[in-house]
């Protein structure tokens, strides 16, 4: 196994990415619990022993895929961390950013939406935390709830914020049924619908 902390050769990085891509497809199509390491190895033309060289367990593969989401949302963290200080423009910019991330990386996000139980187990597993440290299970969720739960925001606007997130999630899960729609049209139309849900269809978010 490659020494932890050492720079892996580019061929090894490529192999690890191939493993993650194949596992991602299987976890989304079949579910994490129903997918075995043997199946992942077979899809790649590997033996299980060869797979173990790169990842010690199926859970380690799931963790690596989970961390991809943290990387994808890194640019949105300043907006998420505003909490109760977030105004309508901040929320609009946040949801606009989430739409772009979601539609360009829909398979990784589908993994999370379809395998919530497995993801939650990752964050409560003492062995995972001992090896990798805190992976900040609920930080994003808590930040979003902080923005929604601000009692100074009228109930209608809070409901619109929740509904905007639900709209993005629903379209993400149902995007397979809209294979005839181009990615650009899907993103533009979803953005328009979400702006309408937020009551801001005719108000572009302020740029900072």
């Amino acid at each position: 196994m490659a020494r932890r902390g050492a720079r892996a050769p580019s061929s090894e990085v490529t192999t690890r990415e191939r493993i993650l891509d194949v596992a991602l497809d299987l976890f989304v199509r079949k579910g994490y619990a129903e997918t075995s390491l043997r199946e992942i190895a077979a899809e790649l033309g590997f033996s299980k022993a060869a797979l173990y060289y790169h990842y010690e367990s199926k859970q380690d593969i799931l963790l690596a895929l989970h961390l991809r989401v943290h990387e994808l949302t890194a640019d949105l963290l300043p907006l998420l961390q505003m909490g109760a200080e977030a105004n309508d423009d901040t929320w609009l910019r946040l949801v606009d950013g989430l739409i772009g991330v979601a539609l360009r990386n829909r398979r990784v996000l589908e993994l999370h939406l379809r395998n919530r139980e497995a993801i939650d187990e990752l964050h409560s597993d003492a062995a995972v935390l001992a090896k990798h440290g805190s992976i900040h299970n609920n930080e994003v969720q808590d930040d979003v709830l902080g923005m929604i739960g601000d009692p100074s925001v009228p109930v209608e606007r809070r409901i619109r914020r929740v509904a905007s997130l639900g709209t993005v999630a629903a379209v993400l899960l149902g995007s397979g049924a809209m294979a005839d729609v181009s990615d650009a049209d899907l993103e533009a139309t979803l953005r328009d619908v979400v702006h309408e849900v937020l009551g801001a269809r005719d108000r572009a978010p302020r740029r900072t």
Side-chain angles (χ1 to χ4, degrees), residues 10 12 15 17 19 53 65 85 104 108 118 129 133-134 138 141 154 157 161 166 174 191 208:
S10 59
E12 183 174 334
T15 300
E17 289 302 313
I19 292 170
Y53 176 84
L65 289 169
E85 297 178 6
R104 293 183 184 91
V108 177
L129 297 178
S134 173
N138 294 316
Q141 176 178 304
R157 282 159 62 192
R161 291 180 178 185
R191 202 177 298 278
T208 58

Side-chain angles (χ1 to χ4, degrees), residues 2-202:
R3 180 166 51 87
R4 293 191 185 282
R7 183 182 296 277
S10 59
S11 60
E12 183 174 334
V13 172
T14 300
T15 300
R16 287 171 66 86
E17 289 302 313
R18 283 180 57 215
I19 292 170
L20 293 181
D21 289 341
V22 167
L24 174 62
D25 181 63
L26 288 169
F27 292 166
V28 170
R29 286 194 291 110
K30 297 188 60 177
Y32 173 78
E34 290 73 27
T35 300
S36 68
L37 281 175
R38 189 178 303 278
E39 288 175 283
I40 297 171
E43 287 280 334
L44 289 156
F46 289 177
S47 66
K48 280 185 67 177
L51 190 59
Y52 282 131
Y53 176 84
H54 298 283
Y55 291 100
E56 296 176 5
S57 66
K58 188 172 73 166
Q59 190 179 60
D60 274 356
I61 294 175
L62 181 64
L63 176 61
L65 289 169
H66 174 59
L67 292 176
R68 282 183 174 182
V69 171
H70 287 261
E71 294 169 4
L72 293 173
T73 56
D75 290 343
L76 299 175
L77 286 179
L79 295 177
L80 283 167
Q81 292 167 351
M82 292 186 70
E85 297 178 6
N87 58 25
D88 288 344
D89 280 349
T90 302
W91 186 265
L92 190 58
R93 284 158 49 209
L94 173 62
V95 177
D96 273 347
L98 288 174
I99 288 171
V101 168
L103 293 183
R104 293 183 184 91
N105 303 277
R106 66 186 73 177
R107 294 294 279 174
V108 177
L109 296 175
E110 279 184 79
L111 167 72
H112 284 68
L113 291 171
R114 297 180 188 277
N115 294 276
R116 283 305 316 170
E117 183 176 347
I119 296 295
D120 289 343
E121 287 178 3
L122 263 185
H123 299 287
S124 60
D125 190 297
V128 172
L129 297 178
K131 278 194 339 187
H132 301 280
S134 173
I135 47 179
H136 310 298
N137 173 33
N138 294 316
E139 280 192 3
V140 171
Q141 176 178 304
D142 290 347
D143 288 338
V144 170
L145 290 176
M147 296 172 78
I148 293 171
D150 179 5
S152 69
V153 177
V155 172
E156 179 186 344
R157 282 159 62 192
R158 291 162 68 182
I159 291 174
R160 286 180 184 274
R161 291 180 178 185
V162 174
S164 67
L165 293 178
T167 300
V168 175
V171 171
L172 179 65
L173 284 173
S175 61
M178 292 181 280
D180 58 313
V181 181
S182 72
D183 288 348
D185 284 346
L186 185 59
E187 180 173 346
T189 304
L190 175 57
R191 202 177 298 278
D192 189 54
V193 170
V194 167
H195 284 207
E196 185 172 6
V197 168
L198 289 170
R201 187 171 183 174
D202 300 319

